[in-house]
Amino acid sequence: MNVMRCNLTFKANFIIPAMVAMIVFFTACDKGIEETSGDKDTGDEAIVYVINSEGEKGFTFVEFSNQGSANIFLGLSKNADSDVSATLKYDPQVLNVYNIAHETDYQLFPQELVTLEGDVAIAKGVDKSDEVEVKFKTTDNLKSDVTYVIPVSTRINSGKAKLPITGATYLLIFRKELNAVTACSKASGIKVISCMEINYTNPLNNLCFTLKESGKPLIDIVILFSANINYDETTRKVYVNNNSNLQHLLDNREKYIKPLQDRGMKVLLGLLGNHDRSGVANLSNATARAFAHEIKSVCDTYKLDGVLF
């Protein structure tokens, strides 16, 4: 495979802490929580529940290295009859109740390591809030092989909505930091590149292959094949063009791209000619510089590690 070197360089830094832990999110009403199979609307007020970024109640799994985030939402069992205002907050009592009820010993994830913008609004006529981002980061004080929990309670401030009598649903987020064993670097110095035809293959398949003795990932670099360089007749400029399959992966990077990077893999965007007059070798100096800025913008937006022409 021939690789063309360009003047534009994309740099990636990986921080791999030597610690293993898990985080669990719980959301509940202030009176405690119970696991429920579903919440039914029993009156004029809609039932409030918590969902993850894929619309699932219950729990979701997230792995991250050094720092991470998760998006959660408030949903209603029916469209809101009026504007609804609610607050999500870090609430240790939720974990206390859960540990007693389920005879578990999950530990609190330190509140000072959590950022939660907890004010939530659901507009009249809709059944879901905008996303609430929960950010969390690591510290050397976290112990290995311990399950940590970020407990979050829900309070309704105004509007025709209520929490379930038996307790709100809960959202689980398991966090697993990576240690040196799962980093990609190999003593041989060999780099294994996987060029994925993303129209038919999930890039997470690259996580399935590990070295027998070390347990390290086989793949070092994953190329998402492929975006295109195309020419816009109207603007007379070249631009990065993604088909719908590639765009779906980029829009859902937390699911399809970040797990690869969390294991030390670099994820590159393939750039391929697409049957028109544009091409990397056809660009003037000024056009090449403008295109390089667009490529950098794409990499920054989707937190990619570079491109392969």
Side-chain angles (χ1 to χ4, degrees), residues 5-298:
R5 293 186 177 273
C6 299
N7 291 330
L8 182 65
T9 301
F10 298 100
K11 183 183 293 184
N13 296 317
F14 293 91
I15 303 176
I16 311 296
M19 187 272 290
V20 177
M22 289 194 298
I23 293 178
V24 186
F25 264 115
F26 292 99
T27 61
C29 60
D30 292 336
K31 296 180 180 179
I33 66 173
E34 293 182 16
E35 296 180 38
T36 58
S37 58
D39 302 318
K40 295 183 179 179
D41 184 18
T42 57
D44 294 335
E45 293 178 313
I47 303 297
V48 174
Y49 53 89
V50 181
I51 55 179
N52 63 21
S53 58
E54 296 183 359
E56 300 171 334
K57 294 183 184 179
F59 59 87
T60 187
F61 297 91
V62 172
E63 294 183 352
F64 73 100
S65 182
N66 192 44
Q67 59 185 1
S69 65
N71 293 327
I72 57 178
F73 307 79
L74 279 186
L76 298 179
S77 57
K78 65 180 183 179
N79 289 345
D81 293 331
S82 63
D83 291 344
V84 175
S85 172
T87 300
L88 300 176
K89 68 174 183 177
Y90 182 100
D91 188 350
Q93 181 60 24
V94 173
L95 177 59
N96 293 335
V97 172
Y98 187 88
N99 277 337
I100 293 172
H102 296 270
E103 298 182 351
T104 52
D105 59 353
Y106 297 144
Q107 302 297 306
L108 279 172
F109 190 79
Q111 185 173 1
E112 63 270 19
L113 302 179
V114 179
T115 302
L116 170 61
E117 300 295 337
D119 292 333
V120 184
I122 303 177
K124 179 181 179 180
V126 300
D127 62 357
K128 180 181 176 183
S129 72
D130 290 334
E131 65 184 34
V132 176
E133 185 177 29
V134 184
K135 297 180 180 179
F136 29 88
K137 58 185 179 181
T138 65
T139 175
D140 293 337
N141 294 329
L142 294 180
K143 298 179 181 179
S144 62
D145 299 322
V146 172
T147 300
Y148 291 94
V149 177
I150 297 177
V152 180
S153 66
T154 306
R155 183 182 72 240
I156 305 301
N157 300 320
S158 63
K160 292 184 177 181
K162 63 181 180 181
L163 298 169
I165 296 176
T166 57
T169 58
Y170 57 88
L171 176 70
L172 306 181
I173 296 184
F174 295 89
R175 164 185 169 271
K176 182 180 180 182
E177 289 200 278
L178 310 177
N179 56 27
V181 173
T182 56
C184 292
S185 58
K186 304 168 181 63
S188 65
I190 294 174
K191 300 293 183 183
V192 180
I193 301 174
S194 172
C195 189
M196 302 290 298
E197 170 49 82
I198 51 83
N199 287 325
Y200 310 105
T201 308
N202 187 332
L204 295 181
N205 285 346
N206 289 283
L207 300 176
C208 298
F209 306 100
T210 57
L211 299 179
K212 183 177 180 179
E213 294 184 3
S214 67
K216 293 185 176 184
L218 172 66
I219 307 301
D220 296 274
I221 301 172
V222 177
I223 300 169
L224 304 178
F225 189 83
S226 179
N228 296 109
I229 176 174
N230 276 111
Y231 180 70
D232 189 319
E233 295 282 355
T234 302
T235 63
R236 304 174 73 91
K237 296 180 180 179
V238 294
Y239 64 97
V240 177
N241 180 36
N242 303 322
N243 68 21
S244 59
N245 294 322
L246 176 57
Q247 191 61 52
H248 177 77
L249 297 182
L250 298 176
D251 290 340
N252 295 275
R253 74 168 307 277
E254 293 292 322
K255 179 177 181 179
Y256 294 109
I257 297 174
K258 191 173 182 296
L260 302 173
Q261 294 172 324
D262 282 347
R263 284 169 174 79
M265 299 181 193
K266 293 186 177 181
V267 180
L268 308 184
L269 182 67
L271 270 175
L272 182 69
N274 195 26
H275 310 289
D276 66 15
R277 72 185 72 176
S278 63
V280 174
N282 298 343
L283 305 180
S284 68
N285 184 62
T287 305
R289 289 179 178 274
F291 187 55
H293 281 290
E294 180 172 350
I295 293 172
K296 183 180 186 302
S297 177
V298 171

